[in-house]
Structures are given as C-alpha cells and as structure tokens.
Amino acid sequence: MVDVRVTYDQQVDAAYIYFTDSQTRKEVSRMYPCDPVEVGGMINLDFDGEGRLVGIEVLAASSKLPQHLLDAAERLDVEDS
C-alpha cells in the first residue's frame, strides 16, 4: 500500500493531498484549477516540471472529502503544546 500525505487546516477548511514523499518533494511548476462551477468549489491540481501530478489542493474540503480522510489528516491549524 502506498502512503499518501494529507494535510488539513480546519480554520480555512483547506486540505492538500501530496503524491510525493517529503524526501523527493517536487516543485510545483503548473497549477490547473478545476472549474469551480462544475465541482461546486475550488480544487487545484499541481503538476511538476515533467507534467506529473504532485498534489491536489481542496478548498471547502469538509464538503468535498470524506470525513475519515480529514480526521486522519495532519492538522495544520493545531498548535503544539
């Protein structure tokens, strides 16, 4: 099974799904926004310089992604104590 890193910021309701590991993180060279009317929100596809999909940004994530995925995501809005 492949591990996929997911981050979530509940304060802004945004999630990011990474398809690259942290050691080989690629620079995003092109972003393709999906039609917000068609998907009912904003979803951006990020590609590297070789045209490979490296991640997906999902705004209004709580209405677009399964709750179990958001629950398991690395939280960006929680400060370390």
Side-chain angles (χ1 to χ4, degrees):
M1 179 174 196
V2 176
D3 290 327
V4 174
R5 180 176 175 224
V6 179
T7 59
Y8 179 55
D9 186 330
Q10 187 175 25
Q11 291 179 345
V12 295
D13 197 17
Y16 197 88
I17 304 165
Y18 295 83
F19 295 121
T20 58
D21 64 44
S22 59
Q23 295 176 345
T24 60
R25 189 162 293 158
K26 301 275 186 169
E27 291 286 325
V28 173
S29 65
R30 184 170 64 92
M31 186 269 297
Y32 175 79
C34 295
D35 184 345
V37 173
E38 289 292 318
V39 298
M42 182 57 75
I43 298 174
N44 299 312
L45 305 177
D46 291 338
F47 295 88
D48 67 12
E50 297 173 357
R52 282 180 251 172
L53 183 63
V54 296
I56 301 173
E57 178 185 35
V58 181
L59 305 178
S62 62
S63 68
K64 300 291 169 232
L65 296 174
Q67 187 61 48
H68 72 272
L69 184 65
L70 298 177
D71 291 342
E74 176 185 335
R75 293 291 297 270
L76 300 178
D77 58 328
V78 178
E79 293 184 26
D80 292 331
S81 303

